[in-house]
Amino acid sequence: MNPKEIIALLRNSFESGKTRPVEYRIQQIKNLKKMIVENEEKFLQALKTDLHKSRHESIVMEIQFLINDLENILAEIRDWVKPEKPKKPLVNILDNLYIFNDPYGVVLVIGAWNYPFQLLLMPFAGAIAAGNCVILKPSEVATACCNLVSTLVPKYLDPDSYKVYAGGIPETTLLLKEKFDYIFYTGSSNVGKIISEAASKHLTPVTLELGGKSPVYIDKTADINMAVKRILWGKFANAGQTCVAPDYLLCSKDVEQKFVEISKVILKKWYGNDPKKSLDFGRIINDNHFKRIEKLLNNGSVAVGGETDASERYIAPTILTNISSNDPVMMEEIFGPILPIINIDNLYDAISFINKREKPLAMYIFSKNKKDVDLLIQNTSCGGITVNDTVMHLAVDTLPFGGIGNSGIGNYHGKYTFDTFTHKKSCLYKSFALIGEKLGQARYPPYSERKTRLLNLLLKRRGYLSFNFVGYLIAFGVGIATAYLYQNQITVKRN
């Protein structure tokens, strides 16, 4: 089927109302979870084929991450779908206010190759939970993972509501010519701009989960041994092909020397004398990315690593020193296992360095000095922050995950994914009570000064009224009435 036919089918399904009942949504989420659980080994093998991902990383960062998200949806969805009841201003004291969680309709979810299941199926699950019909576009770069999704989704989920559309740039270009009700894209900033431009022709809202050069600041107060482990793990997991991986390190020369020496010990402990032989270290996704990253090794001085093998698309965990802010390695998101170190003299240099560049998706701060941590947080802008660790903020589903500016638009994770795919439809439910109509008479012509003053009085901004006291007031009133009747009954008997 071509994109027009697919969209027509999904739009008919959506307009039939079949995706709106919460029980339908719950069943589809259960089916999605079943798909993952029953085919876990196939998922693991596809990840190994495309990215040489270790079993540990694949389970923790892809499979279990997804299952946890699906279980959270199943536990919370009945509450999420309920209409919200906002506070009432005085003028609406007799009315009812609602915010309905409406699905957008037919939405497009475009995944990324670096975490080909998590970054595709997590927004997909949120779109299902919100009641939408969905076209899934897996990344063609992760071939084995794309093929697996294309095979499994039609077997487990309703094919009249959810479709997988595979293909490369020509197919995606064709897809983007069509009108969607929402588009969710994960990938590079350059492609994000193309997605945004295509969506704007139809005034289609978008969420763009992009990337950028996520900085790490570390000072002399940090626990250096712990900091090195956490930074290296965030950097070299998935061979550095993570959108929130630490991109570069800002520190003094003294801290740099300690960092490099400790890194040599830790990397040997993790991956052995030759990381290429380690089952726990990944590979670059394809030849084009390998060549791009390999060129960046020519910047500065190699302090750790630097080895490559084009036949395996292998680049060793590498740390670069003597880096200038104008070096090519600082001009683009690295998205590979290279960590450049930029020397700074103080916190204010770090703030200035970060603020001269595009707003990053993430920022990491390692320090025991709370005042300095607060200064860095308050004087920079980024998508999200982890203090004294890396990457971990995205694992907290009560925190919104997303970028700002060049690193993205919108956010998701947990309920925020449901909200992303939900239109907040407001509703004022007016009362026919005569007193309300009497008060509202001032809005009708003929107008007068008295009517103007009355309307201004009614519409004047005040604190919202709380009715928490009503139950206590009723209980108090019942108590008084009971006491009165009891006393009255005693008096009657005496007489």
Side-chain angles (χ1 to χ4, degrees):
M1 297 176 71
N2 62 45
K4 284 187 182 295
E5 293 171 334
I6 295 173
I7 293 171
L9 170 67
L10 296 186
R11 199 163 296 284
N12 285 338
S13 275
F14 180 75
E15 291 175 356
S16 75
K18 73 182 301 184
T19 62
R20 287 183 177 266
V22 69
E23 295 303 329
Y24 175 88
R25 307 181 201 185
I26 288 172
Q27 187 57 54
Q28 297 304 311
I29 295 294
K30 287 180 177 178
N31 291 349
L32 183 56
K33 180 183 173 183
K34 184 179 180 183
M35 180 186 88
I36 297 169
V37 171
E38 290 185 349
N39 297 278
E40 180 174 332
E41 290 302 321
K42 292 180 181 178
F43 279 89
L44 296 176
Q45 184 56 51
L47 290 165
K48 187 173 181 62
T49 299
D50 287 333
L51 289 151
H52 197 266
K53 278 197 182 185
S54 69
R55 187 178 183 87
H56 174 85
E57 282 188 12
S58 296
I59 291 173
V60 174
M61 296 183 172
E62 296 263 17
I63 306 301
Q64 197 57 47
F65 202 94
L66 279 168
I67 290 173
N68 290 344
D69 184 65
L70 295 173
E71 289 177 347
N72 182 55
I73 291 174
L74 292 171
E76 302 290 344
I77 186 171
R78 293 185 191 278
D79 286 331
W80 292 352
V81 300
K82 291 177 182 176
E84 301 166 30
K85 295 181 180 180
K87 295 178 180 179
K88 297 180 185 180
L90 178 63
V91 71
N92 298 115
I93 195 65
L94 299 175
D95 308 319
N96 289 309
L97 307 181
Y98 302 101
I99 301 173
F100 293 102
N101 294 302
D102 262 16
Y104 276 102
V106 178
V107 306
L108 171 63
V109 175
I110 304 176
W113 55 261
N114 57 323
Y115 290 87
F117 298 125
Q118 181 206 132
L119 297 179
L120 179 75
L121 300 181
M122 183 178 288
F124 178 42
I128 294 172
N132 298 282
C133 288
V134 188
I135 292 184
L136 275 180
K137 171 60 182 71
S139 172
E140 74 284 0
V141 178
T143 308
C145 295
C146 176
N147 292 339
L148 186 60
V149 168
S150 300
T151 301
L152 294 180
V153 168
K155 293 180 179 178
Y156 283 84
L157 284 94
D158 186 346
D160 290 335
S161 300
Y162 315 107
K163 291 289 186 183
V164 180
Y165 186 80
I169 294 175
E171 289 79 12
T172 305
T173 302
L174 194 64
L175 195 61
L176 289 172
K177 290 180 180 179
E178 302 302 322
K179 184 182 186 304
F180 291 92
D181 298 303
Y182 202 96
I183 297 176
F184 189 107
Y185 167 77
T186 303
S188 71
S189 298
N190 289 334
V191 177
K193 293 173 183 177
I194 296 171
I195 302 291
S196 181
E197 183 178 357
S200 68
K201 294 177 181 178
H202 302 289
L203 296 179
T204 299
V206 298
T207 290
L208 303 176
E209 294 297 336
L210 309 177
K213 297 185 72 63
S214 298
V216 181
Y217 170 78
I218 178 172
D219 68 19
K220 62 183 181 181
T221 71
D223 182 324
I224 187 68
N225 289 288
M226 198 178 297
V228 172
K229 285 192 293 185
R230 292 176 178 184
I231 293 168
L232 295 184
W233 172 78
K235 181 61 183 180
F236 297 130
N238 200 31
Q241 299 166 115
T242 303
C243 59
V244 289
D247 193 272
Y248 61 94
L249 183 61
L250 295 169
C251 65
S252 68
K253 196 68 178 176
D254 289 343
V255 172
E256 175 194 285
Q257 291 172 354
K258 294 177 183 176
F259 187 94
V260 169
E261 290 308 310
I262 296 170
S263 293
K264 292 176 181 177
V265 175
I266 290 174
L267 290 175
K268 184 176 180 179
K269 182 178 180 181
W270 286 357
Y271 303 122
N273 291 323
D274 185 1
K276 189 169 72 168
K277 295 178 181 177
S278 171
L279 297 176
D280 297 325
F281 189 73
R283 297 295 185 268
I284 306 305
I285 184 68
N286 61 25
D287 291 337
N288 287 336
H289 281 281
F290 173 84
K291 292 173 183 176
R292 176 187 63 80
I293 299 167
E294 187 181 37
K295 289 180 182 178
L296 301 179
L297 293 171
N298 297 322
N299 293 251
S301 306
V302 175
V304 178
E307 300 83 13
T308 66
D309 184 345
S311 66
E312 289 192 25
R313 301 193 303 277
Y314 165 77
I315 297 177
T318 300
I319 298 174
L320 300 178
T321 56
N322 300 317
I323 295 295
S324 163
S325 61
N326 296 319
D327 285 339
V329 74
M330 294 304 297
M331 296 293 106
E332 61 179 272
E333 184 180 7
I334 297 169
F335 225 68
I338 300 174
L339 180 64
I341 301 179
I342 297 283
N343 293 135
I344 54 168
D345 292 327
N346 52 55
L347 173 72
Y348 300 98
D349 287 347
I351 292 172
S352 176
F353 191 93
I354 293 167
N355 287 339
K356 286 178 181 177
R357 284 153 181 78
E358 295 282 6
K359 296 177 180 180
L361 180 57
M363 182 171 69
Y364 306 112
I365 307 167
F366 287 81
S367 175
K368 293 180 181 178
N369 188 325
K370 188 178 185 303
K371 181 180 177 182
D372 283 357
V373 171
D374 290 343
L375 277 171
L376 196 48
I377 291 173
Q378 293 165 9
N379 290 282
T380 56
S381 180
C382 63
I385 296 172
T386 296
V387 178
N388 296 328
D389 207 339
T390 63
V391 180
M392 296 303 294
H393 63 289
L394 69 81
V396 184
D397 62 18
T398 53
L399 289 175
F401 176 78
I404 180 173
N406 203 60
S407 60
I409 299 171
N411 52 62
Y412 73 125
H413 284 195
K415 187 177 184 295
Y416 297 101
T417 314
F418 175 85
D419 290 339
T420 285
F421 289 102
T422 300
H423 168 61
K424 301 296 181 180
K425 184 170 67 178
S426 59
C427 176
L428 168 61
Y429 205 113
K430 290 290 289 183
S431 167
F432 276 130
L434 292 179
I435 187 173
E437 179 64 11
K438 187 67 176 176
L439 289 172
Q441 288 287 341
R443 63 180 165 156
Y444 302 137
Y447 302 127
S448 66
E449 286 295 322
R450 187 184 69 81
K451 287 184 176 182
T452 301
R453 287 195 299 272
L454 179 57
L455 279 180
N456 285 340
L457 179 65
L458 290 172
L459 296 172
K460 184 177 176 61
R461 181 68 174 86
R462 301 174 179 84
Y464 290 105
L465 299 177
S466 172
F467 294 93
N468 293 334
F469 66 90
V470 171
Y472 299 105
L473 188 61
I474 292 172
F476 179 73
V478 170
I480 292 293
T482 302
Y484 172 80
L485 290 173
Y486 179 73
Q487 185 64 38
N488 191 52
Q489 186 179 27
I490 291 174
T491 302
V492 169
K493 285 182 177 179
R494 286 176 178 173
N495 292 334

